[in-house]
Amino acid sequence: MIEPGYVRKMAQYNAWQNRQLSVMLEPVPEADLRADRGAFFGSIFGTLNHLLWADTLWMSRFTDAVQPAQVGPEGQLDFTPTFPVWTAERFTLDGAIRLWADKMHAVDLAGTLTWSS
C-alpha cells in the first residue's frame, strides 16, 4: 500500500514537471505546437490537452474540488484552445491535486479502488 507522503511527493513532482514543461514550451510558436508530429495524439498541443483532460477526469473521481472534464474523448485534443489557456488550466489543476494530496491520510489509501468505464 502506498503512503500519504508518497501521494504528496508525486503531486509535488507532477506540478514541478508541468512547470518545467510550460517554461520549455512557452517560446515555441503556436503553429509548431499544433504541427502534426505523427505522435499518438498528433501534435505536442494535442498531447498536452490529452494529459490535462485525463488528469481532470481522474481527479474528478477522487475529489469534488475538481469538476469532471466537460468534453468526451472525441474533444480531448481541443480541451483548451491555446497554449496560454492550457498553462493556466494546468497550473490550476496541479494546485487542486496538491491540495487533495495534502489532505490524504493512510485510511484513505486502504482498500481497493474499483472503477469501470
Side-chain angles (χ1 to χ4, degrees), residues 12 14 21 30 35-38 40-41 52 60 66 77 87-88 106 113-115:
Q12 292 167 358
N14 178 63
L21 192 56
E30 187 91 14
D36 190 337
R37 306 286 179 178
F40 191 79
F41 298 104
L52 181 63
S60 75
V66 175
L77 303 184
T87 301
L113 173 65
T114 304
W115 178 83

Side-chain angles (χ1 to χ4, degrees), residues 16-39:
W16 174 73
Q17 283 291 277
N18 286 323
R19 280 191 309 274
Q20 296 292 99
L21 192 56
S22 293
V23 168
M24 182 188 73
L25 293 174
E26 195 273 326
V28 177
E30 187 91 14
D32 290 344
L33 292 175
R34 293 178 179 277
D36 190 337
R37 306 286 179 178

Side-chain angles (χ1 to χ4, degrees), residues 7-117:
V7 174
R8 285 188 280 280
K9 181 60 74 181
M10 290 297 100
Q12 292 167 358
Y13 176 77
N14 178 63
W16 174 73
Q17 283 291 277
N18 286 323
R19 280 191 309 274
Q20 296 292 99
L21 192 56
S22 293
V23 168
M24 182 188 73
L25 293 174
E26 195 273 326
V28 177
E30 187 91 14
D32 290 344
L33 292 175
R34 293 178 179 277
D36 190 337
R37 306 286 179 178
F40 191 79
F41 298 104
S43 66
I44 294 168
F45 194 64
T47 301
L48 294 173
N49 267 324
H50 164 73
L51 293 171
L52 181 63
W53 173 83
D55 285 353
T56 301
L57 198 60
W58 272 108
M59 286 308 299
S60 75
R61 296 171 181 147
F62 300 142
T63 175
D64 292 335
V66 175
Q67 296 300 309
Q70 296 301 313
V71 297
E74 66 285 344
Q76 66 181 297
L77 303 184
D78 299 314
F79 192 57
T80 59
T82 65
F83 182 70
V85 173
W86 178 87
T87 301
E89 292 294 323
R90 184 75 256 182
F91 178 81
T92 300
L93 182 59
D94 288 345
I97 293 170
R98 299 247 340 240
L99 288 172
W100 170 79
D102 287 345
K103 295 176 184 173
M104 191 64 50
H105 299 346
V107 68
D108 299 321
L109 299 168
T112 302
L113 173 65
T114 304
W115 178 83
S116 53
S117 176

